Amino acid sequence: MPAEHVTSLTGLVPDDPPTVTVHGVDSLEGSPRPVKAALLVWAAYPEGWAAGICWPWQRFRGNQLRALLTMWVRAKQVEPFDGVDYSRVPRILVSGGVDAWPALPPAYPKLDRGVWLPLHLHAPRPDATGEYLPLRAAMRELSRLRS
């Protein structure tokens, strides 16, 4: 499918997207670890290709912090699973810096929408430390508002 330029991903991303392994987006105790993420969209930009992904981020720091985290990563960080059909993953064109790219909607296979959707946060790019400090502050605020 040819890429088309979009400014919103509303209606493009399937509710049950295929999964991939993504490298360089999370670490625990300083050790990088791959994560299983939903592949929402491929995006062409002047320097190459990027992937829009969604994955359940969790940490236990006194209390549980968790959110569906969406972000843009370089395509080379994505490793497909053998035997999975990725042909229906939308392909789009984006321009400008990653901060100007459309925010990704939360979508993950077999998603319990009641639990996860209120805890969806979008980070334009990975934090190699896995800390996502601005998001942690936002999650604490969401948890406070929900209790």
Side-chain angles (χ1 to χ4, degrees), residues 80-97:
F81 290 114
D82 288 336
V84 175
D85 179 14
Y86 296 100
S87 64
R88 295 189 335 158
V89 175
R91 293 174 184 261
I92 63 169
L93 295 173
V94 291
S95 59

Side-chain angles (χ1 to χ4, degrees), residues 5-135:
H5 190 274
V6 300
T7 56
S8 169
L9 296 174
T10 303
L12 270 180
V13 174
D15 286 337
D16 195 20
T19 57
V20 291
T21 298
V22 181
H23 302 275
V25 297
D26 196 20
S27 66
L28 288 171
E29 307 300 323
S31 291
R33 67 180 184 105
V35 297
K36 181 179 177 183
L39 178 60
L40 307 179
V41 64
W42 290 115
Y45 66 108
E47 288 81 32
W49 283 90
I53 62 167
C54 180
W55 54 285
W57 180 90
Q58 298 187 66
R59 288 292 182 278
F60 295 91
R61 306 281 167 121
N63 60 345
Q64 184 181 32
L65 299 173
R66 68 180 186 170
L68 267 181
L69 189 54
T70 54
M71 72 181 63
W72 293 102
V73 298
R74 290 180 301 225
K76 69 181 183 179
Q77 293 175 248
V78 174
E79 182 181 330
F81 290 114
D82 288 336
V84 175
D85 179 14
Y86 296 100
S87 64
R88 295 189 335 158
V89 175
R91 293 174 184 261
I92 63 169
L93 295 173
V94 291
S95 59
V98 69
D99 292 322
W101 297 0
L104 294 156
Y108 197 82
K110 299 182 178 100
L111 178 69
D112 182 343
R113 299 179 94 65
V115 170
W116 287 101
L117 288 193
L119 298 172
H120 164 240
L121 296 164
H122 178 73
R125 67 188 60 77
D127 173 356
T129 69
E131 288 297 316
Y132 299 97
L133 293 175
L135 299 179

